[in-house]
Amino acid sequence: MQVVATAGHGGHGKSALVRALTGKEPEEPGAWTELPSGRRVAFVDAPGDERSVKAMLAAAAPAPAVLLAVAADEGWMPQTQEHLEALGALGVRAGVLAVTKADAADPRLALRQARERLAGTALSGVEAVAVSTVSGAGVDDLAAAVDRLTGRLPVPDPAAPVRLWIDHAFTAGRQTVVTGTLPAGTIAVGDELLLMPAGRRVRVRTIGCAGAPRDAVGGVSRVVLTLRDAGRVDAGMALVTPDAWTHTTCVDVRTRFGEASGRLARRMTLHLGTAAVPVRLRPLGPDTARLTLNARLALHLGDTGVLRDPERRSIAGVSVLDVRPPTLVRRDAGAARARELASWPDRPDGTIVLRRHGVLRRSELSGMGCAPPPDAVALNGEWVADPAHWDALFERLAEETARHAAESPAAPGLPLETVRLRLGLPARQLVAALVRPPLRVESGRVYGPAPAPAPDPAPER
């Protein structure tokens, strides 16, 4: 199954399109249909009221494609433009343009106007269909266009860690029913997931997808889950695979769309998945900033979201560059950090992350969404190190042991904990892994090369 979100001005027929394509009410979790090819598609319909942009962001963020509606009798509207800008900030690149109400006016003018507005955006080349849900004209053509769209969408990894953003939740007694779009990974009955940001572990009791119970379901899918004893659950929360994400309240980001970071408001709302989290923004460089979140989110590097200021009606797309950023305490630390981030791609890989941290647990890397680079130094199975950093640490260790031996010839060995603190290593076991000839470890201390034996005295004559 694939999932498509709707977008467009209120009253332009988004919900009518979903009803015409699926035969179901758009608000139903199972608003899905089987396409001519046999592929299945589900729709997430955003309401067209004053909450439209926020609701559309929540609907579109987990979905890989959009169905954009423009009415033939009204054409392009300010809310349509807002939705287009939000889609651009999210990085949505796949979709279908539906010129609705083709029975009420000639759709050619609205189509030409929409094409002009879409020119230069990621959606400029989308297929367009004129349709009337009143007469039924164009509905089959629209279904065929959506079919072609879903056939082009990437197939997600069924083994990926789960992050299900919740868009609806209902609790009755000890049972909680949640709905959301699963973009990747697999959920099975009996799985234990972590409810974020609450941090509670919950177990999946039942799964529904496409109107039928399932033992397991993979992304991309619209799913309905029943949880037991989950406590309070609200829209905007997420169910995630435990220990597979970094839980953070501070991130460094790149602004990919919209205004420069220095012109953005210092307090904005971050829309990521279905979450809408107030943040405090500190500009770093022209297109980089630090965000301090008022709620803990489960994130990977490369996650995309939207910063929005409802008062100024301004938005900016962001890519998460670092989920464990360094503290900025020196006066020039922000500028130095901006220079470092300027060379990073929107989705940093394990090589970049390990180069910055030096040494990490494998689980820490995977929690950031990265794999260890091929040249990483493997340490005790649990840890990996950047090769250049590891060599530099060895040189420092050799210098430290030599200096200590010269200053304290009666006790030339350095205790392991002293070495760990001086080198800034996160675990004492890494000190032992660092030691190699001519250094050695004896009785919990690190020693430099053994002193050369004293030369034999010259024989007496």
Side-chain angles (χ1 to χ4, degrees):
M1 177 180 283
Q2 286 287 359
V3 176
V4 175
T6 67
H9 187 73
H12 278 205
K14 301 186 298 293
S15 299
L17 289 176
V18 175
R19 277 191 293 268
L21 290 169
T22 68
K24 302 176 179 67
E25 290 301 316
E27 61 271 14
E28 294 181 28
W32 66 277
T33 188
E34 186 171 298
L35 298 165
S37 66
R39 287 186 287 263
R40 293 182 174 185
V41 63
F43 294 91
V44 188
D45 188 42
D49 54 19
E50 67 277 1
R51 299 175 292 112
S52 174
V53 175
K54 178 180 177 181
M56 192 279 296
L57 286 168
V66 65
L67 175 59
L68 179 63
V70 178
D73 59 344
E74 289 190 326
W76 198 267
M77 299 290 284
Q79 196 175 81
T80 319
Q81 184 64 32
E82 279 190 287
H83 283 201
L84 177 63
E85 291 173 0
L87 291 166
L90 282 172
V92 176
R93 308 181 65 86
V96 171
L97 170 64
V99 179
T100 61
K101 303 186 180 181
D103 58 303
D106 188 336
R108 288 178 293 181
L109 178 59
L111 175 59
R112 184 166 61 251
Q113 187 182 41
R115 283 294 189 205
E116 291 172 356
R117 297 285 186 160
L118 293 175
T121 75
L123 296 174
S124 60
V126 298
E127 188 172 353
V129 180
V131 60
S132 168
T133 57
V134 175
S135 68
V139 172
D140 290 342
D141 293 337
L142 180 60
V146 172
D147 200 353
R148 288 187 287 272
L149 168 67
T150 58
R152 295 190 298 269
L153 296 177
V155 177
D157 180 4
V162 166
R163 182 175 59 185
L164 177 73
W165 292 104
I166 297 170
D167 48 45
H168 293 90
F170 173 76
T171 299
R174 298 174 64 183
Q175 301 273 66
T176 300
V177 178
V178 301
T179 64
T181 300
L182 178 65
T186 302
I187 300 176
V189 171
D191 280 356
E192 187 178 69
L193 300 173
L194 199 65
L195 179 66
M196 292 295 296
R200 293 190 297 272
R201 289 181 179 257
V202 299
R203 196 167 296 279
V204 178
R205 302 299 297 270
T206 67
I207 300 173
C209 180
R214 300 284 188 89
D215 292 328
V217 64
V220 178
S221 295
R222 286 290 291 168
V223 299
V224 182
L225 306 182
T226 300
L227 314 173
R228 188 171 178 85
D229 297 328
R232 179 174 176 176
V233 182
D234 297 312
M237 289 184 166
L239 291 167
V240 304
T241 302
D243 305 319
W245 302 83
T246 299
H247 306 157
T248 182
T249 58
C250 184
V251 294
D252 284 348
V253 300
R254 171 167 292 123
T255 53
R256 300 175 296 101
F257 180 97
E259 299 184 59
S261 64
R263 299 186 61 185
L264 296 173
R266 296 301 180 263
R267 293 188 179 275
M268 301 187 75
T269 299
L270 173 64
H271 297 265
L272 203 151
T274 61
V277 179
V279 300
R280 191 168 66 251
L281 182 145
R282 174 180 174 175
L284 297 174
D287 66 344
T288 53
R290 173 156 298 181
L291 305 181
T292 303
L293 290 61
N294 81 337
R296 193 174 297 275
L297 296 182
L299 301 178
H300 277 171
L301 301 181
D303 277 340
T304 58
V306 174
L307 284 173
R308 181 168 177 255
D309 181 358
E311 293 184 3
R312 295 172 56 198
R313 303 176 76 89
S314 62
I315 63 172
V318 296
S319 294
V320 176
L321 298 179
D322 200 341
V323 291
R324 287 178 50 181
T327 56
L328 303 176
V329 291
R330 301 192 316 273
R331 177 174 295 181
D332 62 343
R337 180 61 170 161
R339 290 192 295 271
E340 179 184 20
L341 294 176
S343 64
W344 289 19
D346 286 351
R347 185 183 293 274
D349 60 12
T351 298
I352 292 173
V353 173
L354 199 55
R355 187 182 302 142
R356 189 182 83 73
H357 288 276
V359 180
L360 285 171
R361 286 185 172 90
R362 291 179 182 271
S363 59
E364 292 174 314
L365 262 179
S366 62
M368 299 182 202
C370 299
D375 63 345
V377 180
L379 307 169
N380 302 329
E382 181 186 2
W383 299 83
V384 288
D386 173 69
H389 178 74
W390 197 244
D391 289 342
L393 285 179
F394 178 79
E395 296 299 325
R396 284 180 56 194
L397 178 57
E399 293 171 2
E400 291 285 346
T401 55
R403 184 182 303 111
H404 179 76
E407 294 173 352
S408 306
L414 271 173
L416 290 175
E417 181 62 12
T418 300
V419 173
R420 186 189 74 80
L421 293 173
R422 290 187 184 181
L423 298 185
L425 289 168
R428 190 181 299 182
Q429 69 196 78
L430 295 174
V431 179
L434 181 62
V435 173
R436 64 176 185 263
L439 308 183
R440 68 190 191 280
V441 176
E442 291 181 8
S443 303
R445 290 175 176 265
V446 181
Y447 294 85
D456 293 334
E460 296 181 6
R461 295 185 176 231

